[in-house]
């Protein structure tokens, strides 16, 4: 008697998202433990992205300045800054990694984040301003999530009177509202704090483009 046994599915380990979170948190804690504020400033100037013109980028190209487009994504200067990016990273990176795989996910985060930092550097009016944080890479992952799962639904908690109500809305609506706000903030500028809004907008656009280029090569599950 022969028994037809179904093939065992290979369980894919999603290690890229925990790796990114671990590096970001470790770099933040390491920076907080430095006793000298002068040393911290030197570290930020060395590894953060500085705003400047395209001509300045050409001059500094051989000095390793392009590497700061990547290193800046792992530097955060406050708990609010790092926690906000980590939360959004977990929300959008973890489900995307199942379809993209860890290496493609890293590519979206790093390439999209580097493009975001470069655009933000060129768009800021004042030269020499410091750009740090993973928001460009996270925005790229949000754009990739929208491109890969346009019919997905996301949960949100809304205050309705005296109660908090959990509702599910189409991802295209929530992410669309978020993207529109980022674009509007690029024109409102300092009124909403020292945030490189252009990094959010350009990272989001880069993530969509990268994901669409990858889409023919990946098998997408249906998300409810």
């Amino acid at each position: 008697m022969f028994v037809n046994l179904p093939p065992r599915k290979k369980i894919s380990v999603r290690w890229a998202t925990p790796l990114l979170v671990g590096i970001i948190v470790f770099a933040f804690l390491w920076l907080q433990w430095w006793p000298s504020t002068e040393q911290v400033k030197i570290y930020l100037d060395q590894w953060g992205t500085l705003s400047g013109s395209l001509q300045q980028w050409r001059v500094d190209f051989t000095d390793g300045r392009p590497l700061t487009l990547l290193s800046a994504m792992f530097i955060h200067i406050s708990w609010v800054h790092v926690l906000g990016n980590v939360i959004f990273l977990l929300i959008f990176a973890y489900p995307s990694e199942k379809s993209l795989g860890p290496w493609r996910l890293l590519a979206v985060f790093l390439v999209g984040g580097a493009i975001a930092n470069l655009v933000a550097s060129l768009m800021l009016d004042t030269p020499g301003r410091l750009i740090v944080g993973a928001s460009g890479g996270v925005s790229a992952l949000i754009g990739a999530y929208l491109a890969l799962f346009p019919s997905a639904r996301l949960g949100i908690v809304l205050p309705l009177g005296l109660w908090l109500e959990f509702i599910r809305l189409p991802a295209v609506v929530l992410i669309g509202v978020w993207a529109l706000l980022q674009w509007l903030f690029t024109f409102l500028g300092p009124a909403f704090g020292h945030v490189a809004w252009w990094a959010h907008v350009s990272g989001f656009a880069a993530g969509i483009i990268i994901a669409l280029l990858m889409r023919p090569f990946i098998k997408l599950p249906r998300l409810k």
Side-chain angles (χ1 to χ4, degrees):
M1 181 178 179
F2 296 94
V3 179
N4 184 21
L5 297 177
R8 300 178 66 180
K9 293 183 179 180
K10 184 179 179 180
I11 301 176
S12 59
V13 179
R14 284 178 265 185
W15 53 265
T17 301
L19 176 65
L20 290 174
V21 172
I23 295 176
I24 290 172
V25 172
F26 175 80
F28 174 73
L29 293 177
W30 182 63
L31 189 64
Q32 297 303 306
W33 287 336
W34 278 27
S36 171
T37 55
E38 186 63 29
Q39 287 180 325
V40 172
K41 185 178 184 303
I42 295 174
Y43 172 81
L44 293 176
D45 290 339
Q46 182 178 2
W47 296 106
T49 297
L50 297 177
S51 61
S53 64
L54 186 59
Q55 179 63 30
Q56 187 64 43
W57 274 98
R58 291 173 180 172
V59 172
D60 296 341
F61 186 83
T62 56
D63 295 336
R65 188 181 180 191
L67 292 178
T68 66
L69 298 175
L70 296 175
S71 60
M73 288 191 286
F74 299 96
I75 302 174
H76 297 78
I77 56 177
S78 70
W79 282 103
V80 175
H81 193 197
V82 70
L83 285 177
N85 281 331
V86 165
I87 290 173
F88 273 86
L89 181 61
L90 291 172
I91 290 174
F92 292 99
Y94 200 69
S96 299
E97 186 176 354
K98 184 176 181 181
S99 299
L100 286 171
W103 295 109
R104 291 193 184 100
L105 181 88
L106 290 177
V108 172
F109 180 83
L110 295 175
V111 175
I115 293 174
N117 285 341
L118 177 60
V119 173
S121 172
L122 296 175
M123 294 302 295
L124 289 176
D125 296 332
T126 307
R129 288 185 60 184
L130 184 67
I131 301 171
V132 294
S135 56
V138 172
S139 298
L141 290 175
I142 295 175
Y145 184 93
L146 180 62
L148 296 175
F149 313 114
S151 60
R153 300 177 71 86
L154 296 174
I156 184 174
V157 177
L158 292 178
L160 300 177
L162 299 177
W163 307 97
L164 294 176
E165 185 72 20
F166 180 82
I167 62 175
R168 295 177 66 86
L169 294 174
V172 66
V173 173
L174 294 178
I175 296 177
V177 171
W178 172 87
L180 177 61
L181 289 175
Q182 310 310 303
W183 182 73
L184 291 176
F185 290 163
T186 61
F187 300 99
L188 298 177
F192 286 86
H194 298 288
V195 179
W197 299 109
W198 274 110
H200 299 184
V201 174
S202 54
F204 177 72
I208 292 177
I209 295 172
I210 295 171
L212 290 177
L213 293 175
M214 292 179 175
R215 193 168 184 175
F217 306 100
I218 58 180
K219 184 178 180 181
L220 297 177
R222 294 183 62 185
L223 295 185
K224 297 182 179 180

